[in-house]
Amino acid sequence: MLKYVLKRLLLMIPILLGVIFIVFTIMNFTPGTPGRTILGMSATQEQVDQLNHELGYDRPFFERFVRYCGDLLQGDLGSSYRTRQPFVTELAGRLPTTLRVGGIAFVISSVLGILLGVLAAAKQYSFIDTFSSVTAILFASVPAFFLGMVLIYVFGLTLGWFPTFGLADWKGYVLPVVSLSLATLVSVQRLTRTTMLEAVRCDFVRTAKAKGCTKGRIIWKHAFKNAVLPVITVLGINAGTVFGGAVVVESVYQLPGMGTYILTAIRSKDIPVVMSSTIVLSLFFCLAMILVDILYAAVDPRIRERMTR
């Protein structure tokens, strides 16, 4: 198992390099320069050129890319063009907010999605199954930012139950968490229902019924255990989706997290911040995929045997 995990960790290196190069190239070809964006249209061209020179933006593309990768290997994630603060310092102040919102949304969407999927499969064609399936299709079709604005209008402005921005108390987490969790919840619910319906039709379930096992034991001990592997894969993908979706949701609710920070950096062409933020999100996603493989081994002895060879 340890050997397999080490291989996956080494595989992350070329993946992260590819992500770094793609994002760096995109940022290079976007219109404008950091100097013009920071100083504004009222600044002279000489002032803009001077600031670009101080930031090192006037160097050739590949020289800037190699320099950035060299600094990265030394543990230097760079400093913001706009605030001149080290990225690590600003990350420490903003990442906890994103982790709290994204973590709560991930747990809620995973637990409720699995429970609703199992319940819908256990009561196939019932009102619960039909209602949950229709609701899942509805919310899967609604973008997170649009859902966020609807929730703000209904529960924030009209009813006044929750604040429309900020995280002054626990109520500030409700609308952002709901916006983030609904889209991923329905994907977990639909996949859990599908895999459970396949599992309950298998021979081992009929054998368990013939032996007199209770319905709850059949569902959770036999059917769910054999249907959970595809769900684990989706949960790993959703972990990255939730924290990536925080970029949009945090901007809607004006939360002081990584999402707002990244969007501000993109608008101001703050390349070090965009690059380092992308690396953090990519690293998190890669680690989530490794965790999925470990959970595979914990659930399925056959996979565990292949990993330990």
Side-chain angles (χ1 to χ4, degrees):
M1 175 67 74
L2 180 60
K3 184 178 179 181
Y4 176 81
V5 173
L6 290 176
K7 287 182 179 179
R8 291 299 304 269
L9 290 174
L10 291 175
L11 186 62
M12 288 170 53
I13 297 175
I15 293 175
L16 291 176
L17 284 175
V19 170
I20 291 170
F21 181 76
I22 291 173
V23 177
F24 199 91
T25 303
I26 293 174
M27 292 300 298
N28 183 74
F29 287 105
T30 53
T33 64
R36 177 60 66 185
T37 304
I38 294 171
L39 297 177
M41 298 305 296
S42 60
T44 64
Q45 187 61 41
E46 289 77 11
Q47 292 173 323
V48 172
D49 293 340
Q50 177 62 28
L51 181 56
N52 286 332
H53 178 73
E54 293 175 2
L55 298 175
Y57 190 76
D58 57 348
R59 295 190 179 97
F61 170 78
F62 284 104
E63 181 181 344
R64 287 187 286 115
F65 179 74
V66 172
R67 182 184 293 270
Y68 178 81
C69 291
D71 293 339
L72 191 62
L73 290 175
Q74 299 177 23
D76 183 8
L77 293 175
S79 299
S80 171
Y81 285 165
R82 187 170 50 87
T83 64
R84 305 299 179 92
Q85 294 293 320
F87 173 77
V88 176
T89 302
E90 301 197 349
L91 177 69
R94 295 175 178 271
L95 185 59
T97 298
T98 300
L99 290 178
R100 283 195 297 269
V101 175
I104 295 171
F106 176 73
V107 171
I108 291 176
S109 64
S110 301
V111 174
L112 288 182
I114 290 174
L115 291 178
L116 291 175
V118 172
L119 182 62
K123 300 182 178 296
Q124 188 181 14
Y125 304 130
S126 66
F127 172 78
I128 295 176
D129 181 25
T130 304
F131 178 77
S132 62
S133 298
V134 172
T135 305
I137 295 174
L138 174 64
F139 284 115
S141 306
V142 179
F145 74 91
F146 180 77
L147 178 62
M149 290 188 289
V150 172
L151 293 177
I152 288 175
Y153 178 77
V154 175
F155 296 100
L157 299 177
T158 304
L159 299 177
W161 291 356
F162 304 104
T164 58
F165 65 91
L167 297 173
D169 53 22
W170 66 269
K171 291 183 178 181
Y173 287 91
V174 174
L175 297 185
V177 166
V178 171
S179 301
L180 268 178
S181 61
L182 278 178
T184 52
L185 185 152
V186 297
S187 64
V188 175
Q189 184 268 334
R190 292 169 65 187
L191 182 61
T192 303
R193 177 184 181 274
T194 301
T195 55
M196 282 293 296
L197 288 176
E198 294 176 356
V200 296
R201 297 189 181 100
C202 293
D203 292 338
F204 62 83
V205 171
R206 285 193 289 269
T207 302
K209 289 180 179 179
K211 289 182 177 180
C213 293
T214 62
K215 188 173 183 180
R217 182 176 177 83
I218 292 173
I219 291 295
W220 292 106
K221 179 66 176 179
H222 298 284
F224 180 72
K225 187 175 180 180
N226 287 272
V228 74
L229 287 182
V231 179
I232 292 176
T233 302
V234 170
L235 293 181
I237 296 173
N238 283 350
T241 302
V242 165
F243 288 99
V247 174
V248 177
V249 171
E250 286 179 6
S251 65
V252 173
Y253 292 98
Q254 301 179 34
L255 305 183
M258 286 295 296
T260 308
Y261 186 48
I262 294 173
L263 287 179
T264 303
I266 293 174
R267 295 191 189 103
S268 59
K269 203 165 185 178
D270 198 339
I271 295 177
V273 171
V274 176
M275 295 300 304
S276 299
S277 300
T278 303
I279 292 172
V280 171
L281 292 177
S282 301
L283 183 63
F284 178 83
F285 189 82
C286 290
L287 292 176
M289 291 296 100
I290 294 176
L291 181 59
V292 166
D293 291 340
I294 295 175
L295 290 176
Y296 272 179
V299 172
D300 195 330
R302 296 169 298 178
I303 298 177
R304 182 165 60 248
E305 177 65 24
R306 288 199 298 267
M307 287 183 176
T308 55
R309 288 175 184 174

